[in-house]
Amino acid sequence: DNAWLQYVKFEERCKEIEKGRRVMERYVNVRPTQQAFLRLSKFEEKHNNTARARSGFEKGVELLGNELDEQFYMKFAQFEQRQKEMERAQAIYKLALDVLPKGASDELYRAYVSFEKQHGDRDAIEEVVLNKRRYIYEEGIKKNARNYDVWFDYVRLEESC
């Protein structure tokens, strides 16, 4: 990886952005990893090519789908926020929360709640919190199906919706 990145930096120092872009594309083709797609998108954003940066993120989701972690989706959503594409950012957060395992996406969940508080409406925030509480109750029931306190709390939650 380091050799590829050094080559790209060399091309940048020589003011050969197109050559650097081709090197980055070859790098991603040879080593299609999460980190490679993040680096490609960062390179393109740095050189003010928003469409290619977005394409890099989208290609990463398309090719690596289930191998991606919450950091990739968070960086993708943050990129869209920097581009003032709030609907896209919201869709990315929702996609990530659907795709990733619930227990392994706490940081993503917090980022999404923060995003909704800043840019969303009250209903969207309530839905996010409601889904999180449902998940917590369902996990409690899985651990101990005879814990009636959790069952009653879960029922009250569902009745209040």
Side-chain angles (χ1 to χ4, degrees), residues 120-156:
D121 58 352
R122 184 178 176 90
D123 292 338
I125 296 168
E126 287 177 2
E127 183 177 333
V128 170
V129 172
L130 186 67
N131 286 337
K132 179 69 172 184
R133 288 180 60 200
R134 276 187 183 127
Y135 171 72
I136 291 169
Y137 290 139
E138 289 168 0
E139 287 299 306
I141 291 169
K142 284 180 187 175
K143 288 179 186 171
N144 183 2
R146 295 184 181 196
N147 185 345
Y148 296 111
D149 291 334
V150 174
W151 276 105
F152 285 123
D153 290 341
Y154 191 29
V155 169
R156 279 190 218 105

PDB file of all heavy atoms in Angstrom, residues 120-156:
ATOM      1  N   GLY A 120     -32.711  16.574  11.066  1.00  0.00           N
ATOM      2  CA  GLY A 120     -33.963  15.844  10.889  1.00  0.00           C
ATOM      3  C   GLY A 120     -35.140  16.520  11.562  1.00  0.00           C
ATOM      4  O   GLY A 120     -35.023  17.577  12.180  1.00  0.00           O
ATOM      5  N   ASP A 121     -36.268  15.879  11.446  1.00  0.00           N
ATOM      6  CA  ASP A 121     -37.454  16.370  12.123  1.00  0.00           C
ATOM      7  C   ASP A 121     -37.718  15.523  13.365  1.00  0.00           C
ATOM      8  O   ASP A 121     -37.064  14.505  13.592  1.00  0.00           O
ATOM      9  CB  ASP A 121     -38.664  16.365  11.181  1.00  0.00           C
ATOM     10  CG  ASP A 121     -38.960  14.992  10.612  1.00  0.00           C
ATOM     11  OD1 ASP A 121     -38.149  14.076  10.830  1.00  0.00           O
ATOM     12  OD2 ASP A 121     -40.009  14.838   9.972  1.00  0.00           O
ATOM     13  N   ARG A 122     -38.655  15.953  14.140  1.00  0.00           N
ATOM     14  CA  ARG A 122     -38.925  15.299  15.419  1.00  0.00           C
ATOM     15  C   ARG A 122     -39.331  13.832  15.239  1.00  0.00           C
ATOM     16  O   ARG A 122     -38.916  12.965  16.003  1.00  0.00           O
ATOM     17  CB  ARG A 122     -40.024  16.075  16.146  1.00  0.00           C
ATOM     18  CG  ARG A 122     -40.324  15.547  17.525  1.00  0.00           C
ATOM     19  CD  ARG A 122     -41.397  16.401  18.201  1.00  0.00           C
ATOM     20  NE  ARG A 122     -41.757  15.857  19.477  1.00  0.00           N
ATOM     21  CZ  ARG A 122     -41.172  16.173  20.620  1.00  0.00           C
ATOM     22  NH1 ARG A 122     -40.186  17.036  20.621  1.00  0.00           N
ATOM     23  NH2 ARG A 122     -41.572  15.627  21.746  1.00  0.00           N
ATOM     24  N   ASP A 123     -40.132  13.544  14.233  1.00  0.00           N
ATOM     25  CA  ASP A 123     -40.587  12.170  14.005  1.00  0.00           C
ATOM     26  C   ASP A 123     -39.415  11.230  13.706  1.00  0.00           C
ATOM     27  O   ASP A 123     -39.379  10.092  14.188  1.00  0.00           O
ATOM     28  CB  ASP A 123     -41.589  12.124  12.843  1.00  0.00           C
ATOM     29  CG  ASP A 123     -42.896  12.815  13.192  1.00  0.00           C
ATOM     30  OD1 ASP A 123     -43.190  12.942  14.400  1.00  0.00           O
ATOM     31  OD2 ASP A 123     -43.619  13.235  12.267  1.00  0.00           O
ATOM     32  N   ALA A 124     -38.461  11.704  12.913  1.00  0.00           N
ATOM     33  CA  ALA A 124     -37.312  10.862  12.573  1.00  0.00           C
ATOM     34  C   ALA A 124     -36.478  10.563  13.812  1.00  0.00           C
ATOM     35  O   ALA A 124     -36.025   9.432  13.999  1.00  0.00           O
ATOM     36  CB  ALA A 124     -36.455  11.547  11.508  1.00  0.00           C
ATOM     37  N   ILE A 125     -36.294  11.551  14.658  1.00  0.00           N
ATOM     38  CA  ILE A 125     -35.527  11.348  15.891  1.00  0.00           C
ATOM     39  C   ILE A 125     -36.237  10.343  16.789  1.00  0.00           C
ATOM     40  O   ILE A 125     -35.609   9.432  17.333  1.00  0.00           O
ATOM     41  CB  ILE A 125     -35.325  12.693  16.632  1.00  0.00           C
ATOM     42  CG1 ILE A 125     -34.472  13.637  15.783  1.00  0.00           C
ATOM     43  CG2 ILE A 125     -34.679  12.470  17.990  1.00  0.00           C
ATOM     44  CD1 ILE A 125     -34.462  15.059  16.279  1.00  0.00           C
ATOM     45  N   GLU A 126     -37.547  10.515  16.948  1.00  0.00           N
ATOM     46  CA  GLU A 126     -38.305   9.594  17.788  1.00  0.00           C
ATOM     47  C   GLU A 126     -38.252   8.171  17.246  1.00  0.00           C
ATOM     48  O   GLU A 126     -38.158   7.209  18.016  1.00  0.00           O
ATOM     49  CB  GLU A 126     -39.751  10.079  17.917  1.00  0.00           C
ATOM     50  CG  GLU A 126     -39.890  11.296  18.802  1.00  0.00           C
ATOM     51  CD  GLU A 126     -41.312  11.826  18.885  1.00  0.00           C
ATOM     52  OE1 GLU A 126     -42.218  11.216  18.278  1.00  0.00           O
ATOM     53  OE2 GLU A 126     -41.509  12.843  19.559  1.00  0.00           O
ATOM     54  N   GLU A 127     -38.293   8.026  15.937  1.00  0.00           N
ATOM     55  CA  GLU A 127     -38.231   6.689  15.340  1.00  0.00           C
ATOM     56  C   GLU A 127     -36.882   6.028  15.606  1.00  0.00           C
ATOM     57  O   GLU A 127     -36.815   4.832  15.923  1.00  0.00           O
ATOM     58  CB  GLU A 127     -38.470   6.774  13.834  1.00  0.00           C
ATOM     59  CG  GLU A 127     -38.495   5.413  13.163  1.00  0.00           C
ATOM     60  CD  GLU A 127     -38.793   5.504  11.680  1.00  0.00           C
ATOM     61  OE1 GLU A 127     -39.454   6.463  11.250  1.00  0.00           O
ATOM     62  OE2 GLU A 127     -38.345   4.589  10.970  1.00  0.00           O
ATOM     63  N   VAL A 128     -35.811   6.788  15.515  1.00  0.00           N
ATOM     64  CA  VAL A 128     -34.478   6.248  15.772  1.00  0.00           C
ATOM     65  C   VAL A 128     -34.373   5.773  17.224  1.00  0.00           C
ATOM     66  O   VAL A 128     -33.902   4.666  17.507  1.00  0.00           O
ATOM     67  CB  VAL A 128     -33.397   7.309  15.467  1.00  0.00           C
ATOM     68  CG1 VAL A 128     -32.037   6.849  15.953  1.00  0.00           C
ATOM     69  CG2 VAL A 128     -33.344   7.598  13.983  1.00  0.00           C
ATOM     70  N   VAL A 129     -34.838   6.611  18.152  1.00  0.00           N
ATOM     71  CA  VAL A 129     -34.776   6.255  19.569  1.00  0.00           C
ATOM     72  C   VAL A 129     -35.662   5.044  19.850  1.00  0.00           C
ATOM     73  O   VAL A 129     -35.282   4.134  20.592  1.00  0.00           O
ATOM     74  CB  VAL A 129     -35.168   7.465  20.445  1.00  0.00           C
ATOM     75  CG1 VAL A 129     -35.305   7.068  21.901  1.00  0.00           C
ATOM     76  CG2 VAL A 129     -34.156   8.591  20.280  1.00  0.00           C
ATOM     77  N   LEU A 130     -36.829   5.010  19.232  1.00  0.00           N
ATOM     78  CA  LEU A 130     -37.755   3.900  19.400  1.00  0.00           C
ATOM     79  C   LEU A 130     -37.136   2.589  18.920  1.00  0.00           C
ATOM     80  O   LEU A 130     -37.225   1.562  19.613  1.00  0.00           O
ATOM     81  CB  LEU A 130     -39.043   4.189  18.629  1.00  0.00           C
ATOM     82  CG  LEU A 130     -40.196   3.223  18.788  1.00  0.00           C
ATOM     83  CD1 LEU A 130     -40.733   3.292  20.224  1.00  0.00           C
ATOM     84  CD2 LEU A 130     -41.296   3.572  17.815  1.00  0.00           C
ATOM     85  N   ASN A 131     -36.482   2.613  17.770  1.00  0.00           N
ATOM     86  CA  ASN A 131     -35.838   1.404  17.249  1.00  0.00           C
ATOM     87  C   ASN A 131     -34.717   0.927  18.165  1.00  0.00           C
ATOM     88  O   ASN A 131     -34.538  -0.273  18.360  1.00  0.00           O
ATOM     89  CB  ASN A 131     -35.308   1.643  15.839  1.00  0.00           C
ATOM     90  CG  ASN A 131     -36.409   1.694  14.811  1.00  0.00           C
ATOM     91  OD1 ASN A 131     -37.493   1.166  15.022  1.00  0.00           O
ATOM     92  ND2 ASN A 131     -36.146   2.356  13.704  1.00  0.00           N
ATOM     93  N   LYS A 132     -33.973   1.850  18.723  1.00  0.00           N
ATOM     94  CA  LYS A 132     -32.895   1.476  19.645  1.00  0.00           C
ATOM     95  C   LYS A 132     -33.483   0.826  20.904  1.00  0.00           C
ATOM     96  O   LYS A 132     -32.971  -0.183  21.386  1.00  0.00           O
ATOM     97  CB  LYS A 132     -32.084   2.728  20.013  1.00  0.00           C
ATOM     98  CG  LYS A 132     -30.962   2.473  20.986  1.00  0.00           C
ATOM     99  CD  LYS A 132     -29.859   1.653  20.368  1.00  0.00           C
ATOM    100  CE  LYS A 132     -28.670   1.583  21.315  1.00  0.00           C
ATOM    101  NZ  LYS A 132     -27.544   0.893  20.749  1.00  0.00           N
ATOM    102  N   ARG A 133     -34.551   1.402  21.448  1.00  0.00           N
ATOM    103  CA  ARG A 133     -35.169   0.818  22.639  1.00  0.00           C
ATOM    104  C   ARG A 133     -35.743  -0.557  22.334  1.00  0.00           C
ATOM    105  O   ARG A 133     -35.633  -1.473  23.157  1.00  0.00           O
ATOM    106  CB  ARG A 133     -36.244   1.759  23.179  1.00  0.00           C
ATOM    107  CG  ARG A 133     -35.625   3.001  23.826  1.00  0.00           C
ATOM    108  CD  ARG A 133     -36.629   3.958  24.370  1.00  0.00           C
ATOM    109  NE  ARG A 133     -37.470   3.363  25.401  1.00  0.00           N
ATOM    110  CZ  ARG A 133     -38.647   3.862  25.755  1.00  0.00           C
ATOM    111  NH1 ARG A 133     -39.118   4.943  25.175  1.00  0.00           N
ATOM    112  NH2 ARG A 133     -39.351   3.278  26.687  1.00  0.00           N
ATOM    113  N   ARG A 134     -36.335  -0.721  21.154  1.00  0.00           N
ATOM    114  CA  ARG A 134     -36.846  -2.041  20.756  1.00  0.00           C
ATOM    115  C   ARG A 134     -35.709  -3.061  20.738  1.00  0.00           C
ATOM    116  O   ARG A 134     -35.866  -4.175  21.227  1.00  0.00           O
ATOM    117  CB  ARG A 134     -37.457  -1.974  19.348  1.00  0.00           C
ATOM    118  CG  ARG A 134     -38.861  -1.499  19.314  1.00  0.00           C
ATOM    119  CD  ARG A 134     -39.434  -1.623  17.917  1.00  0.00           C
ATOM    120  NE  ARG A 134     -40.770  -1.106  17.884  1.00  0.00           N
ATOM    121  CZ  ARG A 134     -41.205  -0.182  17.030  1.00  0.00           C
ATOM    122  NH1 ARG A 134     -40.392   0.311  16.121  1.00  0.00           N
ATOM    123  NH2 ARG A 134     -42.445   0.228  17.080  1.00  0.00           N
ATOM    124  N   TYR A 135     -34.599  -2.666  20.164  1.00  0.00           N
ATOM    125  CA  TYR A 135     -33.454  -3.564  20.086  1.00  0.00           C
ATOM    126  C   TYR A 135     -32.992  -3.969  21.486  1.00  0.00           C
ATOM    127  O   TYR A 135     -32.719  -5.143  21.739  1.00  0.00           O
ATOM    128  CB  TYR A 135     -32.316  -2.887  19.313  1.00  0.00           C
ATOM    129  CG  TYR A 135     -31.023  -3.652  19.374  1.00  0.00           C
ATOM    130  CD1 TYR A 135     -30.862  -4.840  18.670  1.00  0.00           C
ATOM    131  CD2 TYR A 135     -29.964  -3.207  20.157  1.00  0.00           C
ATOM    132  CE1 TYR A 135     -29.685  -5.558  18.735  1.00  0.00           C
ATOM    133  CE2 TYR A 135     -28.778  -3.924  20.227  1.00  0.00           C
ATOM    134  CZ  TYR A 135     -28.648  -5.090  19.516  1.00  0.00           C
ATOM    135  OH  TYR A 135     -27.482  -5.798  19.593  1.00  0.00           O
ATOM    136  N   ILE A 136     -32.915  -3.003  22.387  1.00  0.00           N
ATOM    137  CA  ILE A 136     -32.470  -3.296  23.759  1.00  0.00           C
ATOM    138  C   ILE A 136     -33.431  -4.280  24.433  1.00  0.00           C
ATOM    139  O   ILE A 136     -32.994  -5.253  25.065  1.00  0.00           O
ATOM    140  CB  ILE A 136     -32.347  -1.990  24.577  1.00  0.00           C
ATOM    141  CG1 ILE A 136     -31.169  -1.167  24.051  1.00  0.00           C
ATOM    142  CG2 ILE A 136     -32.168  -2.288  26.060  1.00  0.00           C
ATOM    143  CD1 ILE A 136     -31.112   0.246  24.594  1.00  0.00           C
ATOM    144  N   TYR A 137     -34.724  -4.057  24.296  1.00  0.00           N
ATOM    145  CA  TYR A 137     -35.705  -4.965  24.905  1.00  0.00           C
ATOM    146  C   TYR A 137     -35.640  -6.351  24.279  1.00  0.00           C
ATOM    147  O   TYR A 137     -35.721  -7.362  24.980  1.00  0.00           O
ATOM    148  CB  TYR A 137     -37.119  -4.406  24.798  1.00  0.00           C
ATOM    149  CG  TYR A 137     -37.361  -3.194  25.676  1.00  0.00           C
ATOM    150  CD1 TYR A 137     -38.085  -2.111  25.210  1.00  0.00           C
ATOM    151  CD2 TYR A 137     -36.871  -3.131  26.976  1.00  0.00           C
ATOM    152  CE1 TYR A 137     -38.310  -0.996  26.012  1.00  0.00           C
ATOM    153  CE2 TYR A 137     -37.089  -2.027  27.779  1.00  0.00           C
ATOM    154  CZ  TYR A 137     -37.809  -0.964  27.286  1.00  0.00           C
ATOM    155  OH  TYR A 137     -38.020   0.128  28.091  1.00  0.00           O
ATOM    156  N   GLU A 138     -35.490  -6.406  22.952  1.00  0.00           N
ATOM    157  CA  GLU A 138     -35.407  -7.713  22.285  1.00  0.00           C
ATOM    158  C   GLU A 138     -34.170  -8.485  22.718  1.00  0.00           C
ATOM    159  O   GLU A 138     -34.222  -9.708  22.890  1.00  0.00           O
ATOM    160  CB  GLU A 138     -35.434  -7.525  20.768  1.00  0.00           C
ATOM    161  CG  GLU A 138     -36.800  -7.102  20.261  1.00  0.00           C
ATOM    162  CD  GLU A 138     -36.807  -6.637  18.820  1.00  0.00           C
ATOM    163  OE1 GLU A 138     -35.726  -6.640  18.178  1.00  0.00           O
ATOM    164  OE2 GLU A 138     -37.881  -6.246  18.339  1.00  0.00           O
ATOM    165  N   GLU A 139     -33.067  -7.787  22.909  1.00  0.00           N
ATOM    166  CA  GLU A 139     -31.848  -8.437  23.399  1.00  0.00           C
ATOM    167  C   GLU A 139     -32.057  -8.960  24.821  1.00  0.00           C
ATOM    168  O   GLU A 139     -31.606 -10.049  25.161  1.00  0.00           O
ATOM    169  CB  GLU A 139     -30.655  -7.474  23.350  1.00  0.00           C
ATOM    170  CG  GLU A 139     -30.147  -7.216  21.955  1.00  0.00           C
ATOM    171  CD  GLU A 139     -29.653  -8.467  21.266  1.00  0.00           C
ATOM    172  OE1 GLU A 139     -28.799  -9.166  21.836  1.00  0.00           O
ATOM    173  OE2 GLU A 139     -30.138  -8.751  20.148  1.00  0.00           O
ATOM    174  N   GLY A 140     -32.748  -8.162  25.654  1.00  0.00           N
ATOM    175  CA  GLY A 140     -33.039  -8.601  27.021  1.00  0.00           C
ATOM    176  C   GLY A 140     -33.911  -9.844  27.039  1.00  0.00           C
ATOM    177  O   GLY A 140     -33.707 -10.754  27.855  1.00  0.00           O
ATOM    178  N   ILE A 141     -34.865  -9.912  26.132  1.00  0.00           N
ATOM    179  CA  ILE A 141     -35.756 -11.073  26.039  1.00  0.00           C
ATOM    180  C   ILE A 141     -34.982 -12.297  25.538  1.00  0.00           C
ATOM    181  O   ILE A 141     -35.208 -13.415  26.011  1.00  0.00           O
ATOM    182  CB  ILE A 141     -36.966 -10.751  25.134  1.00  0.00           C
ATOM    183  CG1 ILE A 141     -37.869  -9.728  25.836  1.00  0.00           C
ATOM    184  CG2 ILE A 141     -37.731 -12.011  24.771  1.00  0.00           C
ATOM    185  CD1 ILE A 141     -38.938  -9.133  24.959  1.00  0.00           C
ATOM    186  N   LYS A 142     -34.055 -12.088  24.596  1.00  0.00           N
ATOM    187  CA  LYS A 142     -33.241 -13.209  24.115  1.00  0.00           C
ATOM    188  C   LYS A 142     -32.388 -13.796  25.238  1.00  0.00           C
ATOM    189  O   LYS A 142     -32.206 -15.004  25.316  1.00  0.00           O
ATOM    190  CB  LYS A 142     -32.334 -12.757  22.969  1.00  0.00           C
ATOM    191  CG  LYS A 142     -33.045 -12.588  21.659  1.00  0.00           C
ATOM    192  CD  LYS A 142     -32.069 -12.141  20.586  1.00  0.00           C
ATOM    193  CE  LYS A 142     -32.801 -11.795  19.301  1.00  0.00           C
ATOM    194  NZ  LYS A 142     -31.882 -11.241  18.293  1.00  0.00           N
ATOM    195  N   LYS A 143     -31.864 -12.926  26.096  1.00  0.00           N
ATOM    196  CA  LYS A 143     -31.029 -13.390  27.204  1.00  0.00           C
ATOM    197  C   LYS A 143     -31.839 -14.185  28.217  1.00  0.00           C
ATOM    198  O   LYS A 143     -31.379 -15.192  28.731  1.00  0.00           O
ATOM    199  CB  LYS A 143     -30.351 -12.211  27.903  1.00  0.00           C
ATOM    200  CG  LYS A 143     -29.240 -11.583  27.099  1.00  0.00           C
ATOM    201  CD  LYS A 143     -28.636 -10.412  27.837  1.00  0.00           C
ATOM    202  CE  LYS A 143     -27.618  -9.699  26.956  1.00  0.00           C
ATOM    203  NZ  LYS A 143     -27.171  -8.442  27.554  1.00  0.00           N
ATOM    204  N   ASN A 144     -33.037 -13.687  28.528  1.00  0.00           N
ATOM    205  CA  ASN A 144     -33.870 -14.355  29.519  1.00  0.00           C
ATOM    206  C   ASN A 144     -35.336 -14.152  29.132  1.00  0.00           C
ATOM    207  O   ASN A 144     -35.907 -13.099  29.391  1.00  0.00           O
ATOM    208  CB  ASN A 144     -33.597 -13.803  30.924  1.00  0.00           C
ATOM    209  CG  ASN A 144     -34.399 -14.525  31.980  1.00  0.00           C
ATOM    210  OD1 ASN A 144     -35.138 -15.467  31.702  1.00  0.00           O
ATOM    211  ND2 ASN A 144     -34.256 -14.078  33.218  1.00  0.00           N
ATOM    212  N   ALA A 145     -35.910 -15.168  28.523  1.00  0.00           N
ATOM    213  CA  ALA A 145     -37.285 -15.060  28.039  1.00  0.00           C
ATOM    214  C   ALA A 145     -38.299 -14.980  29.176  1.00  0.00           C
ATOM    215  O   ALA A 145     -39.454 -14.631  28.956  1.00  0.00           O
ATOM    216  CB  ALA A 145     -37.610 -16.244  27.134  1.00  0.00           C
ATOM    217  N   ARG A 146     -37.879 -15.281  30.391  1.00  0.00           N
ATOM    218  CA  ARG A 146     -38.805 -15.252  31.528  1.00  0.00           C
ATOM    219  C   ARG A 146     -38.660 -13.998  32.378  1.00  0.00           C
ATOM    220  O   ARG A 146     -39.210 -13.931  33.472  1.00  0.00           O
ATOM    221  CB  ARG A 146     -38.596 -16.484  32.397  1.00  0.00           C
ATOM    222  CG  ARG A 146     -38.964 -17.740  31.632  1.00  0.00           C
ATOM    223  CD  ARG A 146     -38.858 -18.948  32.473  1.00  0.00           C
ATOM    224  NE  ARG A 146     -39.218 -20.105  31.650  1.00  0.00           N
ATOM    225  CZ  ARG A 146     -39.519 -21.257  32.126  1.00  0.00           C
ATOM    226  NH1 ARG A 146     -39.496 -21.458  33.427  1.00  0.00           N
ATOM    227  NH2 ARG A 146     -39.833 -22.244  31.329  1.00  0.00           N
ATOM    228  N   ASN A 147     -37.951 -13.014  31.869  1.00  0.00           N
ATOM    229  CA  ASN A 147     -37.826 -11.744  32.579  1.00  0.00           C
ATOM    230  C   ASN A 147     -39.048 -10.897  32.226  1.00  0.00           C
ATOM    231  O   ASN A 147     -39.069 -10.196  31.224  1.00  0.00           O
ATOM    232  CB  ASN A 147     -36.523 -11.040  32.176  1.00  0.00           C
ATOM    233  CG  ASN A 147     -36.278  -9.783  32.974  1.00  0.00           C
ATOM    234  OD1 ASN A 147     -37.177  -9.268  33.636  1.00  0.00           O
ATOM    235  ND2 ASN A 147     -35.064  -9.286  32.898  1.00  0.00           N
ATOM    236  N   TYR A 148     -40.048 -10.972  33.077  1.00  0.00           N
ATOM    237  CA  TYR A 148     -41.326 -10.343  32.774  1.00  0.00           C
ATOM    238  C   TYR A 148     -41.258  -8.826  32.845  1.00  0.00           C
ATOM    239  O   TYR A 148     -42.044  -8.141  32.188  1.00  0.00           O
ATOM    240  CB  TYR A 148     -42.415 -10.896  33.702  1.00  0.00           C
ATOM    241  CG  TYR A 148     -42.628 -12.369  33.466  1.00  0.00           C
ATOM    242  CD1 TYR A 148     -42.256 -13.305  34.417  1.00  0.00           C
ATOM    243  CD2 TYR A 148     -43.168 -12.817  32.267  1.00  0.00           C
ATOM    244  CE1 TYR A 148     -42.424 -14.665  34.181  1.00  0.00           C
ATOM    245  CE2 TYR A 148     -43.331 -14.166  32.018  1.00  0.00           C
ATOM    246  CZ  TYR A 148     -42.966 -15.083  32.981  1.00  0.00           C
ATOM    247  OH  TYR A 148     -43.115 -16.415  32.739  1.00  0.00           O
ATOM    248  N   ASP A 149     -40.332  -8.275  33.611  1.00  0.00           N
ATOM    249  CA  ASP A 149     -40.182  -6.825  33.644  1.00  0.00           C
ATOM    250  C   ASP A 149     -39.822  -6.287  32.256  1.00  0.00           C
ATOM    251  O   ASP A 149     -40.368  -5.281  31.807  1.00  0.00           O
ATOM    252  CB  ASP A 149     -39.104  -6.413  34.652  1.00  0.00           C
ATOM    253  CG  ASP A 149     -39.531  -6.669  36.089  1.00  0.00           C
ATOM    254  OD1 ASP A 149     -40.751  -6.676  36.347  1.00  0.00           O
ATOM    255  OD2 ASP A 149     -38.633  -6.855  36.934  1.00  0.00           O
ATOM    256  N   VAL A 150     -38.913  -6.984  31.580  1.00  0.00           N
ATOM    257  CA  VAL A 150     -38.524  -6.567  30.232  1.00  0.00           C
ATOM    258  C   VAL A 150     -39.708  -6.717  29.278  1.00  0.00           C
ATOM    259  O   VAL A 150     -39.974  -5.835  28.453  1.00  0.00           O
ATOM    260  CB  VAL A 150     -37.308  -7.381  29.735  1.00  0.00           C
ATOM    261  CG1 VAL A 150     -36.983  -7.053  28.286  1.00  0.00           C
ATOM    262  CG2 VAL A 150     -36.103  -7.130  30.617  1.00  0.00           C
ATOM    263  N   TRP A 151     -40.443  -7.828  29.409  1.00  0.00           N
ATOM    264  CA  TRP A 151     -41.621  -8.033  28.559  1.00  0.00           C
ATOM    265  C   TRP A 151     -42.631  -6.902  28.749  1.00  0.00           C
ATOM    266  O   TRP A 151     -43.152  -6.366  27.761  1.00  0.00           O
ATOM    267  CB  TRP A 151     -42.294  -9.373  28.891  1.00  0.00           C
ATOM    268  CG  TRP A 151     -41.686 -10.552  28.188  1.00  0.00           C
ATOM    269  CD1 TRP A 151     -40.883 -11.494  28.723  1.00  0.00           C
ATOM    270  CD2 TRP A 151     -41.865 -10.912  26.817  1.00  0.00           C
ATOM    271  NE1 TRP A 151     -40.534 -12.424  27.781  1.00  0.00           N
ATOM    272  CE2 TRP A 151     -41.125 -12.094  26.588  1.00  0.00           C
ATOM    273  CE3 TRP A 151     -42.561 -10.352  25.760  1.00  0.00           C
ATOM    274  CZ2 TRP A 151     -41.071 -12.709  25.356  1.00  0.00           C
ATOM    275  CZ3 TRP A 151     -42.507 -10.985  24.519  1.00  0.00           C
ATOM    276  CH2 TRP A 151     -41.771 -12.144  24.335  1.00  0.00           C
ATOM    277  N   PHE A 152     -42.923  -6.552  30.005  1.00  0.00           N
ATOM    278  CA  PHE A 152     -43.900  -5.493  30.255  1.00  0.00           C
ATOM    279  C   PHE A 152     -43.414  -4.135  29.734  1.00  0.00           C
ATOM    280  O   PHE A 152     -44.198  -3.366  29.170  1.00  0.00           O
ATOM    281  CB  PHE A 152     -44.241  -5.413  31.748  1.00  0.00           C
ATOM    282  CG  PHE A 152     -45.142  -6.522  32.218  1.00  0.00           C
ATOM    283  CD1 PHE A 152     -44.749  -7.356  33.244  1.00  0.00           C
ATOM    284  CD2 PHE A 152     -46.370  -6.734  31.625  1.00  0.00           C
ATOM    285  CE1 PHE A 152     -45.564  -8.387  33.675  1.00  0.00           C
ATOM    286  CE2 PHE A 152     -47.210  -7.762  32.042  1.00  0.00           C
ATOM    287  CZ  PHE A 152     -46.802  -8.600  33.071  1.00  0.00           C
ATOM    288  N   ASP A 153     -42.120  -3.861  29.907  1.00  0.00           N
ATOM    289  CA  ASP A 153     -41.571  -2.608  29.368  1.00  0.00           C
ATOM    290  C   ASP A 153     -41.685  -2.574  27.850  1.00  0.00           C
ATOM    291  O   ASP A 153     -42.031  -1.548  27.253  1.00  0.00           O
ATOM    292  CB  ASP A 153     -40.105  -2.446  29.789  1.00  0.00           C
ATOM    293  CG  ASP A 153     -39.951  -2.172  31.269  1.00  0.00           C
ATOM    294  OD1 ASP A 153     -40.941  -1.752  31.914  1.00  0.00           O
ATOM    295  OD2 ASP A 153     -38.827  -2.377  31.788  1.00  0.00           O
ATOM    296  N   TYR A 154     -41.420  -3.714  27.221  1.00  0.00           N
ATOM    297  CA  TYR A 154     -41.504  -3.810  25.770  1.00  0.00           C
ATOM    298  C   TYR A 154     -42.948  -3.609  25.297  1.00  0.00           C
ATOM    299  O   TYR A 154     -43.210  -2.891  24.334  1.00  0.00           O
ATOM    300  CB  TYR A 154     -40.956  -5.168  25.335  1.00  0.00           C
ATOM    301  CG  TYR A 154     -40.728  -5.331  23.848  1.00  0.00           C
ATOM    302  CD1 TYR A 154     -40.418  -4.265  23.026  1.00  0.00           C
ATOM    303  CD2 TYR A 154     -40.809  -6.593  23.259  1.00  0.00           C
ATOM    304  CE1 TYR A 154     -40.190  -4.438  21.675  1.00  0.00           C
ATOM    305  CE2 TYR A 154     -40.583  -6.772  21.912  1.00  0.00           C
ATOM    306  CZ  TYR A 154     -40.268  -5.689  21.116  1.00  0.00           C
ATOM    307  OH  TYR A 154     -40.053  -5.856  19.775  1.00  0.00           O
ATOM    308  N   VAL A 155     -43.887  -4.222  26.000  1.00  0.00           N
ATOM    309  CA  VAL A 155     -45.298  -4.060  25.652  1.00  0.00           C
ATOM    310  C   VAL A 155     -45.730  -2.609  25.807  1.00  0.00           C
ATOM    311  O   VAL A 155     -46.421  -2.053  24.941  1.00  0.00           O
ATOM    312  CB  VAL A 155     -46.183  -5.012  26.514  1.00  0.00           C
ATOM    313  CG1 VAL A 155     -47.647  -4.677  26.379  1.00  0.00           C
ATOM    314  CG2 VAL A 155     -45.932  -6.460  26.122  1.00  0.00           C
ATOM    315  N   ARG A 156     -45.317  -1.964  26.907  1.00  0.00           N
ATOM    316  CA  ARG A 156     -45.672  -0.546  27.104  1.00  0.00           C
ATOM    317  C   ARG A 156     -45.091   0.323  25.991  1.00  0.00           C
ATOM    318  O   ARG A 156     -45.752   1.257  25.523  1.00  0.00           O
ATOM    319  CB  ARG A 156     -45.154  -0.066  28.461  1.00  0.00           C
ATOM    320  CG  ARG A 156     -46.057  -0.448  29.597  1.00  0.00           C
ATOM    321  CD  ARG A 156     -45.660   0.257  30.902  1.00  0.00           C
ATOM    322  NE  ARG A 156     -45.834  -0.665  31.980  1.00  0.00           N
ATOM    323  CZ  ARG A 156     -44.890  -1.311  32.635  1.00  0.00           C
ATOM    324  NH1 ARG A 156     -43.617  -1.072  32.373  1.00  0.00           N
ATOM    325  NH2 ARG A 156     -45.175  -2.170  33.582  1.00  0.00           N
TER     326      ARG A 156
END
